[in-house]
Amino acid sequence: MTVLRGLLALAASVFGPTTVMAQDWRPEYSMYGTIGIIEMPSALSAQDADLSSQISAFEDQTRVSITFQILPRLSGTFRYSIIPDYTGVDTGTLYDRSFDFQYQLRNESEWLPAVAVGLRDFMGTGVLTSEYVVGTKTIGTNLRATAGIGWGRMGSYNGFTNPLGAIASAMETRPSRSSIYGRGGVPAYDLYFRGDAAVFGGVEWQINPSLTFAAEYSSDAYDREVANGTFDHKSPLNFGLKYHPNENYELGIYALYGSEIGVTATSVLNPNRRPAVGGYDTAPMPVVVRPEDLRAARTWDRSVLSDETIQTALVEALGQDGIVIQGIELTDTSIRLRYENTQYRSEAQAVGRISRVLTYALPPSVETFIFEPTRLGVPTSTTTIKRSDLENLENQVGSAEAVYARADVSEATVGDDADLVPTQTSSFKWGIMPYGELTLFDSRNPATVEVGIEAAMRYEIRPNIVVAGSVRKSFYDNRIDNPSISASTIEPVRRYAPYYADQGDGGIDYLTFAWYGRPASELFSRVTFGYLEPMFGGISTELLWRPVDSDLAFGVELNYTAQRDFDQGLGFQDYNVITGHLSAYWAMQNDFHLQVDAGRYLAGDWGATVSVDREFQNGWRIGAYATFTDVPFEDFGEGSFDKGIRLTIPMDWATGMPSTQLVDTRLSSLTRDGGARLDVDGRLYDAIRSGDISDFGDSWGRFWR
């Protein structure tokens, strides 16, 4: 009771008034990878869009956590825990995945604390499951106090009858974990905030801007670990030091529960804080201003400067800037360029660079510049800019906004290719290069790796008609030491991955013929056939409706596929299936993007995949997805349904050099047969959308870069 009285006194100080709040003291991370004291959470939030990765360890556990501040008040965490002998001494290691959410109900004010509610491990196997309500208040300039009440693991030390029992008596009893979770992966709604509760709390003292001392009273008794003899819980008190030299790194060392020493290392990225200050783009040339007496010219002397000379000069000059010209239409007063931008992530920046070159290369009579950027060899839009606007606005304040306001962005016209003079007929590229694939956070192995050599080729018969393929030879792969397939009632469309890895070494990874088109205004099409991916071949078709100025798009995909032989040669197995999806895409105005794909998957199951991503103007994307089909959770297996987290980082953000390259990473639950979709290259929506030039906020700020 002495400890309880102390915590209640601490809570009183937390919720009591104070007139001074700390300045520039950012929240710090707990050993669970979330904002907190040591093992207990606090009610504070990280900076909006902070993406932290942490490894923490003590003798009983190692945790790898990734936390994203989804919104200013909402954070989400994925955690991978390595727990030796969880069920008893010498019983093997448990590799456990868990997810957290915390929502800040209110910010800290001068008189009132910040208050947050959270769920820890709310849809995993329940090993770390807790729920809590917590408050945090800053006292003076260098002291923070936190107090809260927890359930589950956070209600296991010095617990008392659940105060929510006054609302409903059922809240006083917490169901057993096994009766709720089954195979894991399903939110255990009947478990939350039930059973005994306990108080926790602590203080953080900022010794100097780089060093913080923390002390806490933990309400986690480590019951299971103590019972199986792998943990010695001598005290509920934890102490530690946190060193944070800057906003990107944090190190911690802790004395835990009177028996353990723990350490943490945390790294923080934020899409809005790029590591490179400014960019390393080459300086663009200035706009060449025509003399006033030449602006009214209606033509030029082609015996002095021919169309062919201009075309050759433009292809060479723009090629040095990563702009591949695919067609040119040149008249006395206008030029229309169809091109592929291979260097600048922002299409508006590419338009700005091309515009400058045109003011050098074109006769004075050419007043109208018409740009047709392409993706997959297909024009995505038409942007028309007046040369005189460039001359008049280049050096004015707010000139990018002014050019955007005067530019005309519309649908690319269909069926007018006859007037274009082709400058690119075919292109063949090939290469031999090393490759590596790293798979993290498996249920049986924290990390698997495959490295080898890949020979790849790409032949563009026309910019929109492509033959591509690759062959891989593995040098090292620790995934297939003992390939085995678990029993299941579902068609084994993905469980055979170990067999493909074992027997398909040196086989055809993919070999496809793809034709991309624009059958009508606002419509895009794709037909791909061949060996579409390592496990399936056949034909895949797609049609996308996407107006250039719309936040909505809709697509339909239909595939006929057959399962490939394990050796990844030319043969097929007996299994074939028709799959397809109807897709809806919504680019919301708050930087979020929603995608829903509903239809039939490779195992013949029917259902839908829902994806939500937060997107940033600099190209970052962070999101999550979940797939639900008519496969029962019990038949799906561990994890219950397919779900995961995905992250896209643009290379120009990381290096400061202009690039269209992206680094894509996906952290998913176990890859199983339910909800498995064909992995075909060149799906339309993301490719077409990457050429968007209609919204000023997305890219036009880079027009003059």
Side-chain angles (χ1 to χ4, degrees), residues 435-621:
Y435 76 90
E437 289 188 356
L438 177 65
T439 303
L440 299 174
F441 312 140
D442 186 80
S443 62
R444 294 178 299 275
N445 196 335
T448 62
V449 63
E450 178 186 2
V451 294
I453 193 166
E454 177 180 11
M457 70 88 183
R458 178 181 177 89
Y459 177 48
E460 295 183 357
I461 302 170
R462 294 183 60 183
N464 64 321
I465 301 176
V466 181
V467 177
S470 78
V471 175
R472 286 184 170 186
K473 175 61 181 175
S474 173
F475 293 154
Y476 175 78
D477 186 353
N478 65 351
R479 299 174 302 170
I480 58 174
D481 295 337
N482 183 25
S484 61
I485 301 298
S486 58
S488 175
T489 60
I490 312 171
E491 188 68 35
V493 295
R494 292 304 187 201
R495 281 181 294 130
Y496 280 159
Y499 289 170
Y500 284 98
D502 187 20
Q503 301 178 33
D505 189 23
I508 299 171
D509 195 48
Y510 69 93
L511 180 61
T512 59
F513 174 92
W515 175 30
Y516 305 96
R518 190 179 174 90
S521 179
E522 304 178 352
L523 285 178
F524 301 86
S525 63
R526 172 183 61 83
V527 177
T528 309
F529 71 86
Y531 300 93
L532 302 172
E533 54 147 287
M535 300 185 198
F536 282 87
I539 182 168
S540 173
T541 63
E542 185 182 3
L543 189 66
L544 174 72
W545 175 80
R546 185 183 186 274
V548 71
D549 58 351
S550 175
D551 294 330
L552 295 174
F554 297 94
V556 58
E557 178 178 303
L558 184 64
N559 314 301
Y560 174 78
T561 61
Q563 197 163 33
R564 296 178 60 187
D565 285 341
F566 295 141
D567 63 4
Q568 293 183 334
L570 301 179
F572 291 91
Q573 301 184 44
D574 292 337
Y575 181 71
N576 55 76
V577 62
I578 296 175
T579 73
H581 287 78
L582 298 175
S583 300
Y585 311 90
W586 181 21
M588 294 180 274
Q589 295 301 312
N590 56 358
D591 294 332
F592 279 82
H593 187 276
L594 174 67
Q595 178 176 337
V596 179
D597 305 290
R600 194 179 193 218
Y601 295 83
L602 285 173
D605 47 328
W606 293 82
T609 300
V610 179
S611 307
V612 180
D613 296 273
R614 183 174 179 185
E615 303 180 340
F616 297 83
Q617 293 180 9
N618 57 16
W620 269 73
R621 294 179 65 173

Side-chain angles (χ1 to χ4, degrees), residues 116-158:
V117 59
L119 302 174
R120 178 178 291 174
D121 190 11
F122 69 95
M123 59 183 302
T125 55
V127 172
L128 305 174
T129 297
S130 303
E131 307 84 49
Y132 59 88
V133 178
V134 62
T136 299
K137 189 72 183 73
T138 304
I139 303 170
T141 59
N142 61 353
L143 185 66
R144 281 199 293 247
T146 293
I149 180 170
W151 293 260
R153 282 192 70 128
M154 288 189 197
S156 60
Y157 188 83
N158 276 348

Side-chain angles (χ1 to χ4, degrees), residues 211-518:
L211 190 64
T212 299
F213 171 78
E216 75 175 10
Y217 172 85
S218 170
S219 57
D220 186 347
Y222 277 78
D223 285 334
R224 182 66 177 265
E225 293 83 353
V226 170
N228 64 32
T230 61
F231 188 78
D232 188 9
H233 187 285
K234 294 182 179 180
S235 168
L237 300 178
N238 298 324
F239 305 92
L241 287 173
K242 301 179 185 181
Y243 174 66
H244 35 85
N246 55 50
E247 60 186 351
N248 298 319
Y249 303 100
E250 182 179 302
L251 301 174
I253 185 168
Y254 310 98
L256 304 173
Y257 302 100
S259 61
E260 298 282 348
I261 298 295
V263 294
T264 61
T266 307
S267 175
V268 183
L269 291 175
N270 191 298
N272 298 316
R273 297 195 305 265
R274 61 184 297 175
V277 179
Y280 301 109
D281 315 45
T282 57
M285 60 179 63
V287 172
V288 174
V289 180
R290 296 167 293 176
E292 288 292 339
D293 58 336
L294 295 180
R295 288 194 183 191
R298 304 301 301 169
T299 186
W300 78 91
D301 187 352
R302 283 176 168 79
S303 65
V304 177
L305 183 63
S306 68
D307 290 19
E308 292 76 12
T309 301
I310 294 174
Q311 292 166 8
T312 301
L314 287 177
V315 169
E316 182 178 349
L318 293 174
Q320 296 176 5
D321 226 7
I323 307 298
V324 180
I325 301 298
Q326 296 171 344
I328 298 177
E329 179 190 3
L330 184 62
T331 71
D332 289 334
T333 59
S334 69
I335 185 170
R336 180 162 68 104
L337 290 179
R338 181 171 294 178
Y339 63 91
E340 180 186 7
N341 161 35
T342 66
Q343 183 158 312
Y344 300 100
R345 179 179 46 79
S346 164
E347 279 298 331
Q349 185 175 4
V351 169
R353 292 277 176 142
I354 298 171
S355 298
R356 288 171 160 85
V357 173
L358 295 184
T359 65
Y360 273 83
L362 296 179
S365 66
V366 180
E367 166 67 10
T368 303
F369 299 165
I370 304 171
F371 304 95
E372 291 184 353
T374 68
R375 286 291 187 272
L376 305 171
V378 179
T380 60
S381 61
T382 297
T383 301
T384 303
I385 296 177
K386 296 297 184 181
R387 185 174 183 173
S388 54
D389 289 339
L390 299 173
E391 296 169 333
N392 297 332
L393 297 172
E394 180 186 21
N395 297 311
Q396 292 188 12
V397 177
S399 59
E401 293 92 333
V403 172
Y404 171 72
R406 299 186 188 188
D408 178 23
V409 181
S410 60
E411 298 290 338
T413 53
V414 178
D416 62 349
D417 294 355
D419 296 327
L420 284 170
V421 177
T423 59
Q424 177 188 15
T425 56
S426 64
S427 174
F428 180 74
K429 300 176 183 178
W430 68 279
I432 299 176
M433 67 212 80
Y435 76 90
E437 289 188 356
L438 177 65
T439 303
L440 299 174
F441 312 140
D442 186 80
S443 62
R444 294 178 299 275
N445 196 335
T448 62
V449 63
E450 178 186 2
V451 294
I453 193 166
E454 177 180 11
M457 70 88 183
R458 178 181 177 89
Y459 177 48
E460 295 183 357
I461 302 170
R462 294 183 60 183
N464 64 321
I465 301 176
V466 181
V467 177
S470 78
V471 175
R472 286 184 170 186
K473 175 61 181 175
S474 173
F475 293 154
Y476 175 78
D477 186 353
N478 65 351
R479 299 174 302 170
I480 58 174
D481 295 337
N482 183 25
S484 61
I485 301 298
S486 58
S488 175
T489 60
I490 312 171
E491 188 68 35
V493 295
R494 292 304 187 201
R495 281 181 294 130
Y496 280 159
Y499 289 170
Y500 284 98
D502 187 20
Q503 301 178 33
D505 189 23
I508 299 171
D509 195 48
Y510 69 93
L511 180 61
T512 59
F513 174 92
W515 175 30
Y516 305 96
R518 190 179 174 90

